[in-house]
Every structure is written in structure tokens, then in C-alpha cells.
Amino acid sequence: MKYTELTKQFRQFFELPLTPVAVKFNSEKEPDIPQPMRYCEIVRKAAAFGTSYTCSADDMSCASAELALGFTEPAYGDVYPRMKPADTRTMTVTPLDKCEFEPDVVVVVGTASKLMRVAATLSKVKGDMVNAKFKGEFAVCGECTTIPVMENKVNLSLLCSGARMFSDYRNDEIVFGFPMEAFVELTESLKEESITKALCGCLMDDLPARLVDAILALGFTKGTDHFIGRFGDEIVRLYIPKDESGKSSSVTLHVPVKFKDAEAAKASEEVATALFEEPMNYRLRDNWVDAILLIDLHEPIRRSAMKPEKFNALINNGIEVILDHVGKFKRKTIR
């Protein structure tokens, strides 16, 4: 199947028991659902049991889903979120690894602790906070299916009473909805060593106080699993990656460069490829290009931090190098 490997990679990285679910509006398939169901129930059955259904308005047993998914127009005032215009005839819902079409949305069901990791990884890949719109209503249908399509954004939902009461969602489960492009971008980033090294970084609680103090003294402040600082006009993020044995002997510096739009960012790739050579790298995401520098400490980072003069020199030199390259990159690409 087309998305089998993508699904496997996503589930393995985030250790998800339930499979991501692909959703397609107005697919070419005929309705084949055995009986009317709630849309959120159809999604969870696909995630948990691998079922695939195509449904029409007649197959929806929830009026909220009919409105949110665009099967019908609201009779009294407007409703948010909902598909506009309301021209949905059918919808196909299937496990992503069985999907043979190009999905509009990928819905991910998981526990709060599992999807916390998804959110943290997404934030690193996008270089920004994960902003969610939810109100405890129209959850799987509106918040995690319609919003990703209509607003082209990843969204998180805490679910609604209907989903929890009638559709077998567990008390500890929440749901993410991804535009297909965003899901692919996130999953493919998990293969990039320069990104995944940072994604597997240490939480602040894992680090000895001496090391944290050494990094703070360089002008950084600490976040949940990375440090961030402003140097000149640039924001620099510092991550401490772990190797397969759980040890750390390097740091990565990241500097995001913003372009006016995705087309302008894409046009800068030739310059980025020529300029950001090893041990540097870059990542293109929407209208951003992230410059990345790997600093090899050649010894465990805890030991390195005990030699403040050498440690400070390595990090400060790395900051100078990445800022110099980012400056050259901007001069050649941003007018």
C-alpha cells in the first residue's frame, strides 16, 4: 500500500497502539457502511480495528457531524467549524496504511502522554508553538477533520461528550487532525538525522545542574527540552541530542530564517545547499528555512561542561559560525 511505510514509521517513533486514520471527502467510492454511525465512531473503529467505510449523509447518526463535515447547510445561523460550501456527498475513512487514495486529513488518536510527544516533535519541526482550537463540541468531525481542511492547519481536540459517551473513546485519549501535507512533513522529518538527533534531546530534568548553569551562563534560557537565546538579531535554539545508548556528546544549534511565503523559501534552496555544508545542514518548512549546526564535543557533555573554558569556546564559536552563515544566507536570498 502507498502509505504503509509512512504509517509504520510514525507509529513506531511515537509508540502508538492505534493506527493513523485517512479521511477523504467526496471519494469515488460508493457508500458501504452497514448501518448509520457517528463519524467519530467510524474514525475510532478504523484506528483500533482497521475497518474502512465510505458513508453519505444518510449514514450519519449525528447531526453535528452532518453540519461540520458539509453534508448539509445549517438551518438557523452559522456553525463553526464546518465545511464551506456544504457540498460533501460521501466520505471515505480508512486506516492510513491501507489507504489507496490521497487523503485530505489524517486523524491520530492516542493518549495524552503519547500525543504530547507528537506535539513536542511537531513544535520542533515547525519551529513554533502548536496552536489548538477546541471547545468540547464538534470534536473529531469539526476540530480534527474540518479545521485541518478549511484552515490548512494541524489541530488538537480534547474530544466531546458524544465521542466519549457513544463512540468508545477512552478517558485518557485525545485526538490530532493533520492536513495530509503536514502529516507527511512531520513523519519524513523523523528520518533526518540532523532533526531527529535534536528531537531525541534531553529534558531539562535529565541534565545536571552544572551543565544547565554552564549553558545559561552563555546567554540562553531553558525550555522543556531545549535552550533558547537571542544573539544579535537572531533567535538561536540549542538542543542536546542523545545517541542510541542514551548518552550525549554533542549539541545542535538551530536558527530559523523567515521568508515572505513558501515559494520564496523554496527558491532559496540552491543557496542553502551550497552554503550550509557539513557540519551544517538546513531544513525547509513552509515559509521558513532552518539553519542547523552540529557541534561535536568529542566527549560526554557532562564531562565537557566541567571544563568551562573549553566548553564555552566551542559553543560560542558555534554560535558565531551559524550566525555568520545565516547572515550570508539572508544577504543572498532576502531582498
Side-chain angles (χ1 to χ4, degrees):
M1 295 293 181
K2 184 176 180 181
Y3 299 107
T4 300
E5 189 58 35
L6 195 74
T7 304
K8 179 181 178 182
Q9 185 179 351
F10 186 86
R11 290 184 68 185
Q12 285 184 341
F13 189 89
F14 294 113
E15 301 175 316
L16 294 173
L18 304 184
T19 190
V21 175
V23 179
K24 181 72 173 179
F25 285 85
N26 294 323
S27 67
E28 297 179 357
K29 295 189 175 184
E30 293 296 319
D32 58 3
I33 195 166
Q35 62 190 34
M37 293 186 195
R38 291 174 175 266
Y39 172 74
C40 51
E41 181 182 5
I42 297 171
V43 169
R44 200 181 189 288
K45 283 182 179 294
F49 305 117
T51 56
S52 300
Y53 292 127
T54 297
C55 54
S56 66
D58 293 337
D59 302 312
M60 291 285 106
S61 64
C62 174
S64 295
E66 282 189 58
L67 287 170
L69 298 172
F71 283 108
T72 184
E73 293 278 1
Y76 307 100
D78 203 2
V79 171
Y80 178 83
R82 72 179 181 92
M83 294 293 292
K84 296 181 180 181
D87 58 1
T88 304
R89 301 180 305 279
T90 62
M91 291 186 69
T92 297
V93 180
T94 186
L96 182 61
D97 55 356
K98 296 181 180 179
C99 184
E100 297 178 337
F101 51 79
E102 181 75 19
D104 295 314
V105 182
V106 176
V107 180
V108 178
V109 182
T111 63
S113 61
K114 298 290 187 185
L115 297 198
M116 174 189 70
R117 289 190 60 213
V118 175
T121 307
L122 180 64
S123 177
K124 295 183 183 74
V125 171
K126 302 296 287 184
D128 200 358
M129 300 287 286
V130 178
N131 296 309
K133 293 182 177 181
F134 57 85
K135 59 180 180 179
E137 298 175 339
F138 295 82
V140 181
C141 56
E143 294 168 355
C144 290
T145 303
T146 297
I147 287 178
V149 173
M150 294 297 297
E151 302 180 23
N152 192 32
K153 69 183 291 288
V154 179
N155 201 38
L156 173 70
S157 174
L158 301 186
L159 293 175
C160 59
S161 58
R164 295 196 186 278
M165 291 175 63
F166 303 114
S167 299
D168 204 30
Y169 287 82
R170 309 297 192 254
N171 288 338
D172 60 349
E173 286 179 341
I174 56 177
V175 180
F176 255 118
F178 291 82
M180 184 59 192
E181 183 178 347
F183 182 86
V184 171
E185 179 187 22
L186 172 61
T187 307
E188 289 186 343
S189 75
L190 307 179
K191 297 184 292 186
E192 299 177 23
E193 185 178 10
S194 61
I195 298 295
T196 54
K197 277 188 173 182
L199 296 179
C200 299
C202 302
L203 295 175
M204 296 300 104
D205 291 344
D206 295 335
L207 303 176
R210 182 194 297 270
L211 174 58
V212 173
D213 290 342
I215 296 173
L216 296 181
L218 291 168
F220 290 91
T221 57
K222 62 180 182 178
T224 303
D225 60 354
H226 70 283
F227 296 85
I228 188 169
R230 177 175 287 277
F231 297 86
D233 295 328
E234 305 295 346
I235 297 294
V236 180
R237 293 181 175 87
L238 183 151
Y239 293 91
I240 301 175
K242 292 180 179 180
D243 61 23
E244 294 180 355
S245 64
K247 297 180 180 179
S248 302
S249 59
S250 63
V251 302
T252 55
L253 301 179
H254 297 238
V255 176
V257 179
K258 186 176 183 179
F259 288 81
K260 64 179 181 179
D261 52 37
E263 184 177 349
K266 180 70 174 176
S268 74
E269 274 202 286
E270 184 176 346
V271 175
T273 300
L275 193 59
F276 299 136
E277 297 180 324
E278 195 172 349
M280 292 197 68
N281 203 338
Y282 74 93
R283 173 171 178 75
L284 179 68
R285 53 180 179 86
D286 297 330
N287 61 318
W288 295 82
V289 172
D290 294 327
I292 304 165
L293 173 65
L294 175 67
I295 302 175
D296 192 345
L297 302 174
H298 303 290
E299 63 181 338
I301 193 168
R302 297 171 187 242
R303 186 181 303 164
S304 181
M306 296 173 68
K307 307 169 185 175
E309 187 173 339
K310 180 181 178 182
F311 181 76
N312 291 354
L314 283 170
I315 304 302
N316 282 326
N317 181 67
I319 293 171
E320 289 181 12
V321 168
I322 196 169
L323 293 183
D324 178 63
H325 281 70
V326 166
K328 292 177 181 177
F329 177 64
K330 283 185 169 182
R331 288 192 291 273
K332 292 183 177 182
T333 57
I334 298 179
R335 301 289 184 262

